Amino acid sequence: MPDAASAERQIRRGRAVTLIALLGLAVLYVMALQFTPPERTMGLVQKLYYVHPPAAYAMQLAFLTTGLCSLLYLLLRDERFDLFAEASAEVGMVMGMIVVITGPIWGRPAWGVWWAWEPRLTFTVLELLVFGGYFALRGAVRDPQERAKFAAVLGMMALVLVPFNHLTVYYFASQHPEPVALRAGKPALPFEMLRTFLTGFGVFTVLYIGLAMQRYGIGVRAAHQEVADA
Amino acid sequence: MSVLRVALLIAAKDLRIERRSRTALHTATLFAVLVLLTVVFARDGGSVSLLTLAPSVLWITIALSSLVALNRAFTLEREHAALEGILLAPVPRSALFLGKWLANLAFVSLVMTITFPLWILFYGVAVTPALFAVAAVALLASIGVTAIGTVFSAMAVRTRHAELLLPVLMLPFLLPPIFFAAQSTVRLLAGRPLDELWGSFRFLLLYDVAFATMAALLFPAVVDE
């Protein structure tokens, strides 16, 4: 495990990256509100489009990373993978929260309902529930090694569940907009919108990295504390 | 001794203990009946017919009573530190997994077998050959579910809130098979032709294969000291 000093370094570095991401987020807001034309039918609420899909992508990235770190932990038994799996899962939960909060704010004016049981929403909820269980499990095991092992087993199972969740929600009637930017052929988006949209993806990637680095450092610090307390 | 033989011995031991005490079976069955009744009481009798609710109720009951049944698998071992005994014996971990899984599958099937006629009786389900297909769906769904349950209950039992944790871990994994099982039940009860069910059957089969494999691979990591 990294020593305590490097944990502090990690947290500081993570903070710097997060700061850059937050500056980027401010730029994104200004771009979206000031330098991107409003959408013709939806108007102002459509601006959420520059935050909501990037957050959804960051959630997927985070949970996928947790799954891969779980696999690596089981193969190599290096606790750094366990700590990063935990850090990534927690950031994934935050990103998921952003998704399920911004979604209804857009859904109410656009669909007329706050919530609908349609594929993407249902899928997001299923993901959040699995990783909610992941944290419940982590919280219920005292021994750090056993906790790492159990969490990794659940992380791997969750990774395998993802395609099955996709297959299931496929049968829910969809009313969610189809991707307009990331699709085969030419994006059906004016250049200004596309520019802001892709900036959103960049900003959320950096935000994920910054938050995960900090959380990883905090995890290492907590692990040292746990050893000291034992 | 071959892996299969050891697995059968472990499963037989579990089921023998169950046959002698019968506490878990009684409790799980009682629980299933209570779930069946809860829906009857929580329903607006004037507007929603029991038959409309029947497919949903069947799967809610099976899901919840399976959870109760799966809690049993490792609590028994924990009570007398019996798991340590098995782990010390020259028993391959794969045989332990297989044995526990078979015992769980047998136990859950037994609870379902008792619940099934009560569901037909309470919810006024027409007795037709389609019910065989519903039973087949139940068996198909429970193969994968009990495989996951075997791994998760082995983990949950070694945590602080085993009884609370197992449902929280299991239910997200139960939702996809429940969806397809309920969809097929609705179609079967409506007398739809069997070939409308192939999609659901394929999904459940794929789910069984994927999670049985994963569970078998991951189980040794869970019980390893």
Side-chain angles (χ1 to χ4, degrees):
Chain A
M1 189 164 57
D3 54 51
S6 84
E8 299 308 320
R9 260 202 314 279
Q10 195 74 38
I11 295 172
R12 274 199 303 277
R13 266 192 231 130
R15 237 178 242 152
V17 176
T18 310
L19 200 66
I20 295 170
L22 289 178
L23 284 174
L25 201 59
V27 171
L28 177 69
Y29 286 160
V30 174
M31 273 174 83
L33 295 173
Q34 205 57 49
F35 299 101
T36 309
E39 207 268 342
R40 196 188 312 156
T41 48
M42 284 184 276
L44 201 58
V45 74
Q46 182 268 343
K47 301 291 181 193
L48 278 171
Y49 172 68
Y50 305 111
V51 175
H52 179 83
Y57 138 83
M59 178 192 88
Q60 304 259 28
L61 176 68
F63 289 155
L64 191 67
T65 309
T66 298
L68 292 177
C69 285
S70 300
L71 173 67
L72 289 172
Y73 176 79
L74 286 176
L75 292 177
L76 306 170
R77 297 293 162 124
D78 184 331
E79 53 201 335
R80 282 176 296 182
F81 289 118
D82 170 57
L83 291 169
F84 199 80
E86 183 193 19
S88 188
E90 204 168 295
V91 181
M93 289 298 276
V94 174
M95 294 298 178
M97 288 298 166
I98 295 175
V99 175
V100 294
I101 290 169
T102 51
I105 295 174
W106 175 86
R108 174 70 194 180
W111 289 345
V113 287
W114 293 104
W115 191 268
W117 287 109
E118 66 86 56
R120 284 181 181 79
L121 276 72
T122 313
F123 179 81
T124 309
V125 170
L126 288 176
E127 289 290 279
L128 289 177
L129 284 175
V130 173
F131 282 93
Y134 179 83
F135 288 108
L137 178 66
R138 293 195 77 99
V141 188
R142 234 180 239 127
D143 178 53
Q145 266 178 343
E146 195 150 84
R147 184 194 308 138
K149 216 165 53 183
F150 288 2
V153 167
L154 185 59
M156 286 289 302
M157 286 287 210
L159 197 61
V160 177
L161 189 65
V162 171
F164 287 99
N165 283 346
H166 270 297
L167 283 174
T168 307
V169 300
Y170 176 77
Y171 287 87
F172 284 66
S174 177
Q175 54 190 47
H176 194 283
E178 289 305 310
V180 284
L182 305 174
R183 65 175 194 186
K186 208 164 161 264
L189 217 60
F191 172 71
E192 289 86 359
M193 283 187 175
L194 186 66
R195 188 179 56 189
T196 311
F197 185 65
L198 293 179
T199 309
F201 276 80
V203 167
F204 272 83
T205 308
V206 181
L207 191 61
Y208 163 72
I209 295 171
L211 290 175
M213 277 169 78
Q214 284 189 79
R215 183 60 186 83
Y216 171 74
I218 292 170
V220 174
R221 188 203 268 162
H224 279 291
Q225 194 62 45
E226 220 166 29
V227 173
D229 288 346
Chain B
M1 273 196 290
S2 72
V3 168
L4 189 65
R5 209 178 129 57
V6 179
L8 287 174
L9 278 175
I10 290 171
K13 166 200 78 90
D14 268 25
L15 294 172
R16 197 155 50 235
I17 293 173
E18 193 41 53
R19 194 173 49 113
R20 288 190 185 146
S21 68
R22 291 207 183 92
T23 23
L25 185 62
H26 285 168
T27 316
T29 310
L30 205 58
F31 181 80
V33 174
L34 283 167
V35 176
L36 287 176
L37 282 187
T38 306
V39 180
V40 175
F41 277 77
R43 161 192 77 114
D44 173 9
S47 59
V48 187
S49 81
L50 280 174
L51 206 55
T52 320
L53 290 173
S56 318
V57 172
L58 178 69
W59 291 102
I60 292 172
T61 310
I62 288 180
L64 295 182
S65 42
S66 303
L67 289 175
V68 173
L70 285 167
N71 250 331
R72 175 209 61 99
F74 283 92
T75 7
L76 215 65
E77 304 284 1
R78 186 181 54 174
E79 271 168 17
H80 310 288
L83 192 62
E84 275 74 17
I86 294 185
L87 290 175
L88 283 173
V91 169
R93 301 291 181 258
S94 50
L96 178 58
F97 168 74
L98 204 59
K100 282 287 176 187
W101 181 23
L102 286 175
N104 278 336
L105 190 58
F107 191 73
V108 168
S109 309
L110 200 59
V111 175
M112 287 196 302
T113 312
I114 301 170
T115 314
F116 204 54
L118 290 172
W119 168 72
I120 296 170
L121 178 72
F122 290 165
Y123 286 84
V125 179
V127 182
T128 60
L131 289 179
F132 285 109
V134 177
V137 171
L139 188 66
L140 197 59
S142 55
I143 291 173
V145 166
T146 47
I148 300 171
T150 305
V151 175
F152 284 4
S153 62
M155 297 201 293
V157 78
R158 282 151 85 172
T159 63
R160 271 178 273 176
H161 326 282
E163 288 75 14
L164 194 59
L165 197 60
L166 188 64
V168 168
L169 295 183
M170 279 297 291
L171 273 170
F173 285 83
L174 282 175
L175 293 176
I178 282 179
F179 175 79
F180 285 98
Q183 295 291 317
S184 357
T185 309
V186 171
R187 283 181 177 73
L188 284 167
L189 293 190
R192 308 292 306 168
L194 274 176
D195 45 301
E196 274 186 20
L197 303 175
W198 280 126
S200 296
F201 267 73
R202 268 210 309 272
F203 178 92
L204 291 173
L205 204 62
L206 201 65
Y207 181 91
D208 287 347
V209 172
F211 281 104
T213 313
M214 285 303 290
L217 289 174
L218 292 172
F219 185 80
V222 172
V223 293
D224 250 9
E225 286 304 322

